[in-house]
Amino acid sequence: MTETQAALFCTIVPPHVLDRLARSQDPALSAPARRTLEADAVQRTRRQLTTVAAPVAAPGTTAGEDDADRDTGADAEGAPESPQRTVHDCQNGTDLPGVVVRAEGDEPVKDATVNRVYTGLGATFELLLKEYGRSSLDGAGLPLNASVHFGDQYGNAFWDGEQMVFGDGDGEIFLDFSIPVDVIAHELAHGLTQHTANLSYYGQPGALNESVSDVIGSLVKQYTLGQTADEADWLIGAGLLAPRVTGVALRSMKAPGTAYDDDVLGKDPQPATMDDYVRTGRDNGGVHINSGIPNHAFYLVATRLGGKAWERAGQIWFDVLTGGELAVDANFTSFARLTAAAAAARYGEGAEHEAVVKAWAQVGVETA
Ligand SMILES: [Zn+2]
């Protein structure tokens, strides 16, 4: 339990990127990266201490539950059908959650960051409810809490097991982390995974955990823009990198490994297929690296099926995440087999099932 609970601290920018920035000769780049790594370490430790101090939560609460956290995706009777959002402002400090600056139903404020996060929380809630019949992350209307302006030029965003947190970036490498709606949805999706399959955060299950967040992140972006799978950019974090960076985003589901190739940031390390699977102990066993493989499989399913990716492709992935059969330590093969089974269960042995099987074969994962 400690292992999976401690894993609830999930950042959008992986440590290998920040490590590299922290070693830059340019203090304008290295200083914010070092502060970000320090803040991440403090938050990671805080999560571990919190978990150890309070391993069991009362029924009906969300922290520290084990089996109760896993549910089947069926919503509780009378679950709320509207979000309950609260956005806080850390005012560039690191005390969470900060002061409330916009609560549910409040008019937009002057701070565009606050409004973007409020809207992004709402878009994620709407996709889950309207397309998948799920009321918030826990299926019971869990309030959505976020904090903005965390830290001093903090170059990351994270889900800490209970809420989302966004930094302003340093302006040199990273801009405001609230800019891409897929980053907002990515972080929220870690909460959805936590309340459903609760995939552990190391190796292949960790990469699946990251991939599920990228999938839902991209789906929320496509949903808000009304895009088809062919129209979507399939990028995670487009608009987040500052103009000086040679790159378009943090990751590409369409072409993993091509999101950036920059003097300072290095090259996007994501593989698209099992042939290039990266064995590493860094980044929790490459959770942000090998997630490129299931990410690309989802992209292939969605584009093969065409139309709106959140409809059939997204439904299949959602069914697996919430179906109760996905193990906390699932590997790519077991996940792939469950998607094939879910496609057949919902749509029969037709185009959807075929698209799923072919996509996984293309990235080198067997479903037979
Ligand atoms: Zn993540």
Side-chain angles (χ1 to χ4, degrees), residues 20-21 24-32 153 170-175 239-249 259-266:
R20 192 179 164 110
L21 282 173
S24 168
Q25 300 297 319
D26 182 351
L29 303 180
S30 60
Q153 296 183 304
D170 59 359
E172 295 283 338
I173 300 292
F174 299 115
L175 304 178
L240 177 63
L241 300 178
R244 67 174 278 173
V245 178
T246 309
V248 291
Y260 58 88
D261 188 355
D262 180 74
D263 291 348
V264 178
L265 276 187

PDB file of all heavy atoms in Angstrom, residues 20-21 24-32 153 170-175 239-249 259-266:
ATOM      1  N   ARG A  20      18.245  17.928 -16.184  1.00  0.00           N
ATOM      2  CA  ARG A  20      19.084  18.480 -17.245  1.00  0.00           C
ATOM      3  C   ARG A  20      19.113  20.011 -17.188  1.00  0.00           C
ATOM      4  O   ARG A  20      20.167  20.635 -17.310  1.00  0.00           O
ATOM      5  CB  ARG A  20      18.547  17.993 -18.597  1.00  0.00           C
ATOM      6  CG  ARG A  20      19.509  18.275 -19.721  1.00  0.00           C
ATOM      7  CD  ARG A  20      18.952  17.768 -21.045  1.00  0.00           C
ATOM      8  NE  ARG A  20      19.694  18.389 -22.117  1.00  0.00           N
ATOM      9  CZ  ARG A  20      20.553  17.751 -22.910  1.00  0.00           C
ATOM     10  NH1 ARG A  20      20.758  16.466 -22.749  1.00  0.00           N
ATOM     11  NH2 ARG A  20      21.190  18.399 -23.861  1.00  0.00           N
ATOM     12  N   LEU A  21      17.934  20.600 -16.960  1.00  0.00           N
ATOM     13  CA  LEU A  21      17.867  22.067 -16.840  1.00  0.00           C
ATOM     14  C   LEU A  21      18.684  22.553 -15.643  1.00  0.00           C
ATOM     15  O   LEU A  21      19.356  23.590 -15.717  1.00  0.00           O
ATOM     16  CB  LEU A  21      16.414  22.512 -16.663  1.00  0.00           C
ATOM     17  CG  LEU A  21      15.546  22.542 -17.916  1.00  0.00           C
ATOM     18  CD1 LEU A  21      14.100  22.846 -17.522  1.00  0.00           C
ATOM     19  CD2 LEU A  21      16.069  23.575 -18.900  1.00  0.00           C
ATOM     20  N   SER A  24      22.255  23.285 -16.306  1.00  0.00           N
ATOM     21  CA  SER A  24      22.577  24.286 -17.317  1.00  0.00           C
ATOM     22  C   SER A  24      23.592  25.297 -16.786  1.00  0.00           C
ATOM     23  O   SER A  24      23.611  25.633 -15.606  1.00  0.00           O
ATOM     24  CB  SER A  24      21.296  25.017 -17.744  1.00  0.00           C
ATOM     25  OG  SER A  24      21.627  26.152 -18.506  1.00  0.00           O
ATOM     26  N   GLN A  25      24.455  25.797 -17.679  1.00  0.00           N
ATOM     27  CA  GLN A  25      25.438  26.824 -17.306  1.00  0.00           C
ATOM     28  C   GLN A  25      24.770  28.182 -17.092  1.00  0.00           C
ATOM     29  O   GLN A  25      25.344  29.076 -16.483  1.00  0.00           O
ATOM     30  CB  GLN A  25      26.487  26.970 -18.421  1.00  0.00           C
ATOM     31  CG  GLN A  25      27.277  25.709 -18.716  1.00  0.00           C
ATOM     32  CD  GLN A  25      28.097  25.255 -17.530  1.00  0.00           C
ATOM     33  OE1 GLN A  25      28.697  26.076 -16.836  1.00  0.00           O
ATOM     34  NE2 GLN A  25      28.102  23.964 -17.263  1.00  0.00           N
ATOM     35  N   ASP A  26      23.570  28.308 -17.624  1.00  0.00           N
ATOM     36  CA  ASP A  26      22.852  29.583 -17.545  1.00  0.00           C
ATOM     37  C   ASP A  26      22.027  29.618 -16.254  1.00  0.00           C
ATOM     38  O   ASP A  26      21.069  28.867 -16.110  1.00  0.00           O
ATOM     39  CB  ASP A  26      21.939  29.708 -18.776  1.00  0.00           C
ATOM     40  CG  ASP A  26      21.189  31.029 -18.800  1.00  0.00           C
ATOM     41  OD1 ASP A  26      21.238  31.775 -17.786  1.00  0.00           O
ATOM     42  OD2 ASP A  26      20.545  31.307 -19.818  1.00  0.00           O
ATOM     43  N   PRO A  27      22.409  30.488 -15.311  1.00  0.00           N
ATOM     44  CA  PRO A  27      21.675  30.522 -14.033  1.00  0.00           C
ATOM     45  C   PRO A  27      20.189  30.876 -14.189  1.00  0.00           C
ATOM     46  O   PRO A  27      19.376  30.490 -13.345  1.00  0.00           O
ATOM     47  CB  PRO A  27      22.407  31.583 -13.212  1.00  0.00           C
ATOM     48  CG  PRO A  27      23.355  32.259 -14.121  1.00  0.00           C
ATOM     49  CD  PRO A  27      23.527  31.437 -15.352  1.00  0.00           C
ATOM     50  N   ALA A  28      19.844  31.570 -15.259  1.00  0.00           N
ATOM     51  CA  ALA A  28      18.433  31.893 -15.478  1.00  0.00           C
ATOM     52  C   ALA A  28      17.619  30.631 -15.734  1.00  0.00           C
ATOM     53  O   ALA A  28      16.404  30.605 -15.530  1.00  0.00           O
ATOM     54  CB  ALA A  28      18.284  32.856 -16.665  1.00  0.00           C
ATOM     55  N   LEU A  29      18.300  29.586 -16.189  1.00  0.00           N
ATOM     56  CA  LEU A  29      17.617  28.310 -16.429  1.00  0.00           C
ATOM     57  C   LEU A  29      17.793  27.350 -15.265  1.00  0.00           C
ATOM     58  O   LEU A  29      16.858  26.660 -14.863  1.00  0.00           O
ATOM     59  CB  LEU A  29      18.169  27.648 -17.706  1.00  0.00           C
ATOM     60  CG  LEU A  29      18.090  28.466 -18.985  1.00  0.00           C
ATOM     61  CD1 LEU A  29      18.680  27.665 -20.143  1.00  0.00           C
ATOM     62  CD2 LEU A  29      16.655  28.859 -19.290  1.00  0.00           C
ATOM     63  N   SER A  30      19.018  27.305 -14.711  1.00  0.00           N
ATOM     64  CA  SER A  30      19.310  26.296 -13.685  1.00  0.00           C
ATOM     65  C   SER A  30      18.656  26.630 -12.347  1.00  0.00           C
ATOM     66  O   SER A  30      18.173  25.729 -11.660  1.00  0.00           O
ATOM     67  CB  SER A  30      20.816  26.132 -13.506  1.00  0.00           C
ATOM     68  OG  SER A  30      21.404  27.346 -13.119  1.00  0.00           O
ATOM     69  N   ALA A  31      18.600  27.922 -11.997  1.00  0.00           N
ATOM     70  CA  ALA A  31      18.060  28.275 -10.674  1.00  0.00           C
ATOM     71  C   ALA A  31      16.581  27.891 -10.526  1.00  0.00           C
ATOM     72  O   ALA A  31      16.214  27.238  -9.541  1.00  0.00           O
ATOM     73  CB  ALA A  31      18.278  29.761 -10.388  1.00  0.00           C
ATOM     74  N   PRO A  32      15.706  28.267 -11.483  1.00  0.00           N
ATOM     75  CA  PRO A  32      14.308  27.841 -11.342  1.00  0.00           C
ATOM     76  C   PRO A  32      14.150  26.324 -11.373  1.00  0.00           C
ATOM     77  O   PRO A  32      13.313  25.767 -10.658  1.00  0.00           O
ATOM     78  CB  PRO A  32      13.622  28.472 -12.561  1.00  0.00           C
ATOM     79  CG  PRO A  32      14.513  29.567 -13.002  1.00  0.00           C
ATOM     80  CD  PRO A  32      15.903  29.137 -12.647  1.00  0.00           C
ATOM     81  N   GLN A 153       8.545  30.817  -9.804  1.00  0.00           N
ATOM     82  CA  GLN A 153       8.894  30.335 -11.151  1.00  0.00           C
ATOM     83  C   GLN A 153       8.863  28.813 -11.214  1.00  0.00           C
ATOM     84  O   GLN A 153       9.633  28.186 -11.950  1.00  0.00           O
ATOM     85  CB  GLN A 153      10.282  30.828 -11.575  1.00  0.00           C
ATOM     86  CG  GLN A 153      10.400  32.335 -11.726  1.00  0.00           C
ATOM     87  CD  GLN A 153      11.785  32.709 -12.215  1.00  0.00           C
ATOM     88  OE1 GLN A 153      12.800  32.364 -11.617  1.00  0.00           O
ATOM     89  NE2 GLN A 153      11.831  33.410 -13.348  1.00  0.00           N
ATOM     90  N   ASP A 170       9.203  29.387 -15.624  1.00  0.00           N
ATOM     91  CA  ASP A 170      10.268  30.388 -15.502  1.00  0.00           C
ATOM     92  C   ASP A 170      10.236  31.414 -16.626  1.00  0.00           C
ATOM     93  O   ASP A 170      10.995  32.391 -16.614  1.00  0.00           O
ATOM     94  CB  ASP A 170      11.643  29.695 -15.467  1.00  0.00           C
ATOM     95  CG  ASP A 170      11.898  28.860 -16.713  1.00  0.00           C
ATOM     96  OD1 ASP A 170      11.012  28.811 -17.593  1.00  0.00           O
ATOM     97  OD2 ASP A 170      12.969  28.242 -16.797  1.00  0.00           O
ATOM     98  N   GLY A 171       9.370  31.203 -17.614  1.00  0.00           N
ATOM     99  CA  GLY A 171       9.289  32.136 -18.735  1.00  0.00           C
ATOM    100  C   GLY A 171      10.394  31.942 -19.761  1.00  0.00           C
ATOM    101  O   GLY A 171      10.324  32.489 -20.862  1.00  0.00           O
ATOM    102  N   GLU A 172      11.427  31.188 -19.399  1.00  0.00           N
ATOM    103  CA  GLU A 172      12.548  30.924 -20.310  1.00  0.00           C
ATOM    104  C   GLU A 172      12.340  29.600 -21.039  1.00  0.00           C
ATOM    105  O   GLU A 172      12.566  29.503 -22.238  1.00  0.00           O
ATOM    106  CB  GLU A 172      13.855  30.847 -19.508  1.00  0.00           C
ATOM    107  CG  GLU A 172      14.254  32.151 -18.851  1.00  0.00           C
ATOM    108  CD  GLU A 172      14.859  33.115 -19.863  1.00  0.00           C
ATOM    109  OE1 GLU A 172      15.342  32.666 -20.916  1.00  0.00           O
ATOM    110  OE2 GLU A 172      14.826  34.335 -19.599  1.00  0.00           O
ATOM    111  N   ILE A 173      11.960  28.580 -20.278  1.00  0.00           N
ATOM    112  CA  ILE A 173      11.722  27.250 -20.835  1.00  0.00           C
ATOM    113  C   ILE A 173      10.234  26.933 -20.793  1.00  0.00           C
ATOM    114  O   ILE A 173       9.644  26.507 -21.785  1.00  0.00           O
ATOM    115  CB  ILE A 173      12.507  26.172 -20.040  1.00  0.00           C
ATOM    116  CG1 ILE A 173      14.008  26.459 -20.113  1.00  0.00           C
ATOM    117  CG2 ILE A 173      12.173  24.785 -20.565  1.00  0.00           C
ATOM    118  CD1 ILE A 173      14.637  26.292 -21.476  1.00  0.00           C
ATOM    119  N   PHE A 174       9.636  27.132 -19.626  1.00  0.00           N
ATOM    120  CA  PHE A 174       8.218  26.833 -19.451  1.00  0.00           C
ATOM    121  C   PHE A 174       7.422  28.103 -19.213  1.00  0.00           C
ATOM    122  O   PHE A 174       7.810  28.966 -18.432  1.00  0.00           O
ATOM    123  CB  PHE A 174       7.999  25.905 -18.254  1.00  0.00           C
ATOM    124  CG  PHE A 174       8.683  24.571 -18.391  1.00  0.00           C
ATOM    125  CD1 PHE A 174       9.703  24.213 -17.520  1.00  0.00           C
ATOM    126  CD2 PHE A 174       8.313  23.680 -19.387  1.00  0.00           C
ATOM    127  CE1 PHE A 174      10.340  22.990 -17.645  1.00  0.00           C
ATOM    128  CE2 PHE A 174       8.943  22.450 -19.521  1.00  0.00           C
ATOM    129  CZ  PHE A 174       9.963  22.109 -18.645  1.00  0.00           C
ATOM    130  N   LEU A 175       6.249  28.177 -19.856  1.00  0.00           N
ATOM    131  CA  LEU A 175       5.302  29.252 -19.585  1.00  0.00           C
ATOM    132  C   LEU A 175       4.336  28.756 -18.498  1.00  0.00           C
ATOM    133  O   LEU A 175       4.580  27.751 -17.850  1.00  0.00           O
ATOM    134  CB  LEU A 175       4.571  29.636 -20.876  1.00  0.00           C
ATOM    135  CG  LEU A 175       5.503  30.033 -22.049  1.00  0.00           C
ATOM    136  CD1 LEU A 175       4.682  30.337 -23.296  1.00  0.00           C
ATOM    137  CD2 LEU A 175       6.366  31.232 -21.672  1.00  0.00           C
ATOM    138  N   GLY A 239       1.889  24.772 -26.294  1.00  0.00           N
ATOM    139  CA  GLY A 239       1.721  26.123 -25.751  1.00  0.00           C
ATOM    140  C   GLY A 239       2.440  26.329 -24.431  1.00  0.00           C
ATOM    141  O   GLY A 239       2.498  27.440 -23.910  1.00  0.00           O
ATOM    142  N   LEU A 240       3.002  25.256 -23.891  1.00  0.00           N
ATOM    143  CA  LEU A 240       3.680  25.355 -22.596  1.00  0.00           C
ATOM    144  C   LEU A 240       5.147  25.759 -22.742  1.00  0.00           C
ATOM    145  O   LEU A 240       5.701  26.427 -21.868  1.00  0.00           O
ATOM    146  CB  LEU A 240       3.587  24.001 -21.873  1.00  0.00           C
ATOM    147  CG  LEU A 240       4.287  23.879 -20.529  1.00  0.00           C
ATOM    148  CD1 LEU A 240       3.676  24.846 -19.513  1.00  0.00           C
ATOM    149  CD2 LEU A 240       4.181  22.444 -20.005  1.00  0.00           C
ATOM    150  N   LEU A 241       5.778  25.362 -23.838  1.00  0.00           N
ATOM    151  CA  LEU A 241       7.203  25.659 -24.008  1.00  0.00           C
ATOM    152  C   LEU A 241       7.390  27.094 -24.487  1.00  0.00           C
ATOM    153  O   LEU A 241       6.671  27.573 -25.359  1.00  0.00           O
ATOM    154  CB  LEU A 241       7.826  24.679 -25.006  1.00  0.00           C
ATOM    155  CG  LEU A 241       7.741  23.193 -24.621  1.00  0.00           C
ATOM    156  CD1 LEU A 241       8.360  22.316 -25.709  1.00  0.00           C
ATOM    157  CD2 LEU A 241       8.434  22.937 -23.283  1.00  0.00           C
ATOM    158  N   ALA A 242       8.372  27.777 -23.898  1.00  0.00           N
ATOM    159  CA  ALA A 242       8.657  29.169 -24.261  1.00  0.00           C
ATOM    160  C   ALA A 242       9.197  29.228 -25.697  1.00  0.00           C
ATOM    161  O   ALA A 242       9.718  28.227 -26.216  1.00  0.00           O
ATOM    162  CB  ALA A 242       9.665  29.754 -23.281  1.00  0.00           C
ATOM    163  N   PRO A 243       9.101  30.403 -26.324  1.00  0.00           N
ATOM    164  CA  PRO A 243       9.501  30.519 -27.733  1.00  0.00           C
ATOM    165  C   PRO A 243      10.943  30.097 -28.016  1.00  0.00           C
ATOM    166  O   PRO A 243      11.232  29.603 -29.106  1.00  0.00           O
ATOM    167  CB  PRO A 243       9.316  32.016 -28.015  1.00  0.00           C
ATOM    168  CG  PRO A 243       8.287  32.464 -27.039  1.00  0.00           C
ATOM    169  CD  PRO A 243       8.491  31.625 -25.810  1.00  0.00           C
ATOM    170  N   ARG A 244      11.850  30.255 -27.052  1.00  0.00           N
ATOM    171  CA  ARG A 244      13.252  29.927 -27.318  1.00  0.00           C
ATOM    172  C   ARG A 244      13.496  28.421 -27.443  1.00  0.00           C
ATOM    173  O   ARG A 244      14.540  27.986 -27.944  1.00  0.00           O
ATOM    174  CB  ARG A 244      14.161  30.490 -26.232  1.00  0.00           C
ATOM    175  CG  ARG A 244      13.979  29.840 -24.886  1.00  0.00           C
ATOM    176  CD  ARG A 244      15.009  30.322 -23.878  1.00  0.00           C
ATOM    177  NE  ARG A 244      16.272  29.604 -24.012  1.00  0.00           N
ATOM    178  CZ  ARG A 244      17.375  29.922 -23.347  1.00  0.00           C
ATOM    179  NH1 ARG A 244      17.371  30.965 -22.538  1.00  0.00           N
ATOM    180  NH2 ARG A 244      18.465  29.232 -23.493  1.00  0.00           N
ATOM    181  N   VAL A 245      12.544  27.609 -26.959  1.00  0.00           N
ATOM    182  CA  VAL A 245      12.721  26.152 -26.987  1.00  0.00           C
ATOM    183  C   VAL A 245      12.408  25.612 -28.375  1.00  0.00           C
ATOM    184  O   VAL A 245      11.405  25.984 -28.990  1.00  0.00           O
ATOM    185  CB  VAL A 245      11.796  25.467 -25.948  1.00  0.00           C
ATOM    186  CG1 VAL A 245      11.959  23.956 -26.018  1.00  0.00           C
ATOM    187  CG2 VAL A 245      12.084  25.992 -24.549  1.00  0.00           C
ATOM    188  N   THR A 246      13.279  24.721 -28.863  1.00  0.00           N
ATOM    189  CA  THR A 246      13.018  24.054 -30.129  1.00  0.00           C
ATOM    190  C   THR A 246      12.157  22.838 -29.850  1.00  0.00           C
ATOM    191  O   THR A 246      12.643  21.765 -29.501  1.00  0.00           O
ATOM    192  CB  THR A 246      14.335  23.612 -30.801  1.00  0.00           C
ATOM    193  OG1 THR A 246      15.217  24.734 -30.839  1.00  0.00           O
ATOM    194  CG2 THR A 246      14.082  23.122 -32.215  1.00  0.00           C
ATOM    195  N   GLY A 247      10.856  23.041 -29.972  1.00  0.00           N
ATOM    196  CA  GLY A 247       9.927  21.959 -29.683  1.00  0.00           C
ATOM    197  C   GLY A 247       8.510  22.482 -29.692  1.00  0.00           C
ATOM    198  O   GLY A 247       8.287  23.700 -29.655  1.00  0.00           O
ATOM    199  N   VAL A 248       7.547  21.567 -29.750  1.00  0.00           N
ATOM    200  CA  VAL A 248       6.141  21.976 -29.827  1.00  0.00           C
ATOM    201  C   VAL A 248       5.354  21.631 -28.573  1.00  0.00           C
ATOM    202  O   VAL A 248       4.288  22.194 -28.334  1.00  0.00           O
ATOM    203  CB  VAL A 248       5.441  21.351 -31.057  1.00  0.00           C
ATOM    204  CG1 VAL A 248       5.994  21.964 -32.343  1.00  0.00           C
ATOM    205  CG2 VAL A 248       5.584  19.826 -31.084  1.00  0.00           C
ATOM    206  N   ALA A 249       5.859  20.695 -27.763  1.00  0.00           N
ATOM    207  CA  ALA A 249       5.097  20.233 -26.594  1.00  0.00           C
ATOM    208  C   ALA A 249       5.977  19.331 -25.748  1.00  0.00           C
ATOM    209  O   ALA A 249       7.163  19.140 -26.044  1.00  0.00           O
ATOM    210  CB  ALA A 249       3.851  19.471 -27.057  1.00  0.00           C
ATOM    211  N   ALA A 259       8.489  15.461 -29.865  1.00  0.00           N
ATOM    212  CA  ALA A 259       7.858  16.673 -29.317  1.00  0.00           C
ATOM    213  C   ALA A 259       8.859  17.822 -29.176  1.00  0.00           C
ATOM    214  O   ALA A 259       8.494  18.981 -29.317  1.00  0.00           O
ATOM    215  CB  ALA A 259       7.198  16.372 -27.977  1.00  0.00           C
ATOM    216  N   TYR A 260      10.111  17.496 -28.880  1.00  0.00           N
ATOM    217  CA  TYR A 260      11.129  18.547 -28.772  1.00  0.00           C
ATOM    218  C   TYR A 260      12.512  17.957 -29.038  1.00  0.00           C
ATOM    219  O   TYR A 260      12.745  16.755 -28.847  1.00  0.00           O
ATOM    220  CB  TYR A 260      11.096  19.219 -27.392  1.00  0.00           C
ATOM    221  CG  TYR A 260      11.303  18.278 -26.237  1.00  0.00           C
ATOM    222  CD1 TYR A 260      12.575  17.972 -25.762  1.00  0.00           C
ATOM    223  CD2 TYR A 260      10.215  17.682 -25.605  1.00  0.00           C
ATOM    224  CE1 TYR A 260      12.762  17.095 -24.706  1.00  0.00           C
ATOM    225  CE2 TYR A 260      10.389  16.797 -24.546  1.00  0.00           C
ATOM    226  CZ  TYR A 260      11.660  16.505 -24.100  1.00  0.00           C
ATOM    227  OH  TYR A 260      11.846  15.630 -23.066  1.00  0.00           O
ATOM    228  N   ASP A 261      13.396  18.790 -29.499  1.00  0.00           N
ATOM    229  CA  ASP A 261      14.807  18.419 -29.682  1.00  0.00           C
ATOM    230  C   ASP A 261      15.579  19.726 -29.546  1.00  0.00           C
ATOM    231  O   ASP A 261      15.715  20.485 -30.502  1.00  0.00           O
ATOM    232  CB  ASP A 261      15.011  17.771 -31.061  1.00  0.00           C
ATOM    233  CG  ASP A 261      16.420  17.209 -31.193  1.00  0.00           C
ATOM    234  OD1 ASP A 261      17.236  17.413 -30.262  1.00  0.00           O
ATOM    235  OD2 ASP A 261      16.704  16.568 -32.226  1.00  0.00           O
ATOM    236  N   ASP A 262      16.042  19.970 -28.323  1.00  0.00           N
ATOM    237  CA  ASP A 262      16.485  21.310 -27.953  1.00  0.00           C
ATOM    238  C   ASP A 262      17.854  21.264 -27.269  1.00  0.00           C
ATOM    239  O   ASP A 262      18.166  20.318 -26.546  1.00  0.00           O
ATOM    240  CB  ASP A 262      15.432  21.894 -26.983  1.00  0.00           C
ATOM    241  CG  ASP A 262      15.780  23.284 -26.537  1.00  0.00           C
ATOM    242  OD1 ASP A 262      15.639  24.217 -27.340  1.00  0.00           O
ATOM    243  OD2 ASP A 262      16.212  23.436 -25.369  1.00  0.00           O
ATOM    244  N   ASP A 263      18.647  22.309 -27.495  1.00  0.00           N
ATOM    245  CA  ASP A 263      19.980  22.398 -26.887  1.00  0.00           C
ATOM    246  C   ASP A 263      19.923  22.226 -25.373  1.00  0.00           C
ATOM    247  O   ASP A 263      20.764  21.563 -24.779  1.00  0.00           O
ATOM    248  CB  ASP A 263      20.611  23.766 -27.184  1.00  0.00           C
ATOM    249  CG  ASP A 263      20.969  23.901 -28.651  1.00  0.00           C
ATOM    250  OD1 ASP A 263      20.938  22.870 -29.348  1.00  0.00           O
ATOM    251  OD2 ASP A 263      21.260  25.028 -29.080  1.00  0.00           O
ATOM    252  N   VAL A 264      18.957  22.880 -24.757  1.00  0.00           N
ATOM    253  CA  VAL A 264      18.876  22.865 -23.300  1.00  0.00           C
ATOM    254  C   VAL A 264      18.062  21.673 -22.793  1.00  0.00           C
ATOM    255  O   VAL A 264      18.467  20.968 -21.873  1.00  0.00           O
ATOM    256  CB  VAL A 264      18.258  24.176 -22.779  1.00  0.00           C
ATOM    257  CG1 VAL A 264      18.123  24.144 -21.268  1.00  0.00           C
ATOM    258  CG2 VAL A 264      19.118  25.364 -23.209  1.00  0.00           C
ATOM    259  N   LEU A 265      16.910  21.438 -23.391  1.00  0.00           N
ATOM    260  CA  LEU A 265      16.007  20.384 -22.914  1.00  0.00           C
ATOM    261  C   LEU A 265      16.459  18.989 -23.325  1.00  0.00           C
ATOM    262  O   LEU A 265      16.032  17.999 -22.738  1.00  0.00           O
ATOM    263  CB  LEU A 265      14.596  20.594 -23.467  1.00  0.00           C
ATOM    264  CG  LEU A 265      13.655  21.542 -22.745  1.00  0.00           C
ATOM    265  CD1 LEU A 265      12.269  21.444 -23.374  1.00  0.00           C
ATOM    266  CD2 LEU A 265      13.558  21.207 -21.265  1.00  0.00           C
ATOM    267  N   GLY A 266      17.287  18.898 -24.354  1.00  0.00           N
ATOM    268  CA  GLY A 266      17.616  17.587 -24.905  1.00  0.00           C
ATOM    269  C   GLY A 266      16.527  17.141 -25.876  1.00  0.00           C
ATOM    270  O   GLY A 266      15.707  17.945 -26.320  1.00  0.00           O
TER     271      GLY A 266
END
